[in-house]
Amino acid sequence: MSEQRETPQGPVTSPLWEVFVRPRRGLSHTHVGSLHAPDAELALRNARDLYTRRQEGVSIWVVPAGAITASSPDEKDAFFDPAADKVYRHPTFYEVPDGVAHL
Amino acid sequence: MNGPFDFTLALGDDALVAAQRLGEWATRAPEMEEDIALANIALDQLGAARLLLSYAGELEGAGRDEDALAFLRDDREFRNCLLVELPNGDFAVTMVKLLLLSAYQVPLYTALAGCADERLAAIGAKARKESAYHLDHSALWVKRLGDGTDESHRRAQAAVDQLWPYHHELFTADPAAPVDPAALRADFDAVVSPVLAEATLTRPADGWKPGGGRAGVHTEHLSFLLAEMQVLHRAHPGAQW
C-alpha cells in the first residue's frame, strides 16, 4: 500500500508530504508545512487536522516530498540575480517611438 | 434502561469512558499526526460526554452536575457499554474499537437530532458531525491495517475477532428510549460490512454476546480506569478546579 520499510534504526515512519493550502478567501495555494502519512488520502486528512482545523471552503494540495525538485542554494546567484548592471535588460532602456499605441 | 435519565447517562458514560481510553494514547501514537488525531477525537468525545452528563444531571434533579456524575460514581453505577472500557491494546484494537463505536454513534446521534427532546436533539446535531469524522478516520485506518502488510492484517483480524462480540450490546432493544438502539442496527451493518470487506477482514460469526454494561455490570477493566480517572477528585472532594 505504501512504501514502508523496516529499518534497523527503529520504528518505521510514513513518507513525508508537503502541504499547500488555499484559504477560504485566498487567491492561491501557499506552502504551509509538511507531515507524515502512509498515503495521499490520509495525508489530506492529516493536513485538514493540522493546518485547517476542519474549516470549510479551503482547498488542500498534498504532494509527496520526493516529487518536488528544488533549486539548489549553490546556484542562487545564477538563478535569481537580476543582472541589474546590464541596463539593456530593462524595458526602460529602449526609447519608445512616438505614435506607438498601447505600449 | 428506562426513562430519559438512564438513556442520557448511558450515552454520556460511553463518550466519557471512550475519551479516557483515547486520552491514554497521548504522546504514544505511532506518529505525531496520529497523536493529534487521537487527541482530537478524545476531545470530541469528552465534549459530548460533558453535554450529555450535564443534561442527565438536570433530568435527575438531584443536584449532581457533570463532575459529580463523572467522579463520584463507582463502576456499578456507570452505564457505559463494555466495548469502550476495554483496554487500548495495539493500534489495530484501538482503531477497530473506534470503528465499531463511531458506526454506532453516527446513526444514534443522527436519530437523536430528530427526536422530540430539544436538548437531546441539539446535542445529537452537534455530536453527529464529530462522530462522522471519527468514523471516517477509523474506517481509513482499518482498511489500511487490514489490507496492509501480513502483520498488520493479522493484528487487525485479531482485533475484529476480539471486539466483535461486544458490539451486540450496543443494539439491545429499548423501545422506551428516545431512540431505540435496535433500530440502528441496519445503519451500523451498512457502514461496517463494506469497510471490513475492503480491508480484506472476515466478519466473525455471531456467537458470544457479552453485555451488562447498561446495568452497571462491567468487565474488570472499568474499576481500574475509574480509579485513575477519579483519584484526585476522591482525595479532595468538593474542591474547585
Side-chain angles (χ1 to χ4, degrees):
Chain A
M1 213 166 185
S2 62
E3 297 172 347
Q4 294 199 359
R5 294 180 310 279
E6 288 292 340
T7 63
Q9 285 78 27
V12 182
T13 55
S14 302
L16 188 69
W17 300 74
E18 300 296 335
V19 183
F20 300 79
V21 171
R22 184 168 63 77
R24 198 184 309 223
R25 290 189 176 77
L27 292 172
S28 59
H29 287 76
T30 308
H31 183 240
V32 292
S34 53
L35 52 80
H36 289 278
D39 54 42
E41 198 178 3
L42 267 168
L44 269 184
R45 301 301 205 290
N46 288 344
R48 180 188 53 183
D49 288 355
L50 290 169
Y51 295 114
T52 72
R53 308 291 293 177
R54 285 186 260 156
Q55 274 183 60
E56 287 170 20
V58 293
S59 167
I60 303 173
W61 290 347
V62 290
V63 184
I68 292 178
T69 307
S71 61
S72 159
D74 300 338
E75 302 163 17
K76 191 167 166 247
D77 288 350
F79 258 66
F80 301 116
D81 192 321
D85 57 326
K86 303 182 180 98
V87 287
Y88 48 85
R89 282 176 168 269
H90 297 275
T92 50
F93 178 75
Y94 300 96
E95 294 288 337
V96 180
D98 292 338
V100 176
H102 312 301
L103 198 68
Chain B
M1 281 195 287
N2 54 68
F5 167 69
D6 288 329
F7 178 80
T8 309
L9 189 67
L11 301 194
D13 285 350
D14 282 356
L16 177 66
V17 175
Q20 182 75 10
R21 280 290 183 228
L22 287 165
E24 293 171 7
W25 272 102
T27 75
R28 290 172 168 78
E31 282 170 352
M32 270 200 287
E33 289 79 1
E34 194 54 32
D35 218 88
I36 290 166
L38 290 176
N40 209 339
I41 295 168
L43 287 170
D44 286 345
Q45 293 283 357
L46 187 63
R50 293 188 60 190
L51 293 172
L52 288 161
L53 291 181
S54 295
Y55 185 44
E58 291 173 34
L59 287 171
E60 185 189 37
R64 289 201 284 185
D65 64 3
E66 51 179 316
D67 282 346
L69 285 171
F71 294 121
L72 295 174
R73 283 180 299 151
D74 64 24
D75 60 325
R76 292 304 296 265
E77 297 167 281
F78 265 76
R79 294 290 177 264
N80 59 281
C81 58
L82 301 184
L83 178 72
V84 294
E85 73 199 38
L86 298 177
N88 283 334
D90 61 16
F91 188 64
V93 171
T94 292
M95 280 300 129
V96 171
K97 195 173 8 154
L98 186 61
L99 174 70
L100 299 179
L101 177 68
S102 51
Y104 153 76
Q105 284 183 328
V106 168
L108 170 73
Y109 288 140
T110 303
L112 212 56
C115 82
D117 186 314
E118 280 185 20
R119 279 284 289 281
L120 285 177
I123 294 170
K126 178 171 164 48
R128 71 177 166 183
K129 283 183 274 182
E130 298 168 346
S131 283
Y133 164 71
H134 308 164
L135 180 60
D136 179 66
H137 188 81
S138 54
L140 284 173
W141 268 117
V142 170
K143 289 176 199 170
R144 276 155 183 75
L145 294 170
D147 195 19
T149 65
D150 290 345
E151 175 65 6
S152 72
H153 178 87
R154 184 186 67 75
R155 286 175 181 249
Q157 186 64 57
V160 171
D161 293 344
Q162 178 203 334
L163 297 169
W164 191 255
Y166 291 93
H167 90 282
H168 297 290
E169 183 190 16
L170 300 171
F171 304 104
T172 308
D174 182 14
V179 171
D180 185 354
L184 308 170
R185 179 94 222 187
D187 288 322
F188 175 89
D189 286 336
V191 168
V192 171
S193 294
V195 172
L196 293 183
E198 198 179 331
T200 70
L201 296 169
T202 308
R203 177 184 169 140
D206 292 335
W208 181 47
K209 297 179 180 178
R214 299 292 188 224
V217 182
H218 292 278
T219 68
E220 68 272 30
H221 305 295
L222 183 65
S223 50
F224 289 101
L225 181 148
L226 294 181
E228 187 176 36
M229 188 178 89
Q230 298 176 336
V231 58
L232 208 59
H233 201 102
R234 298 274 191 192
H236 303 279
Q240 297 288 310
W241 305 96

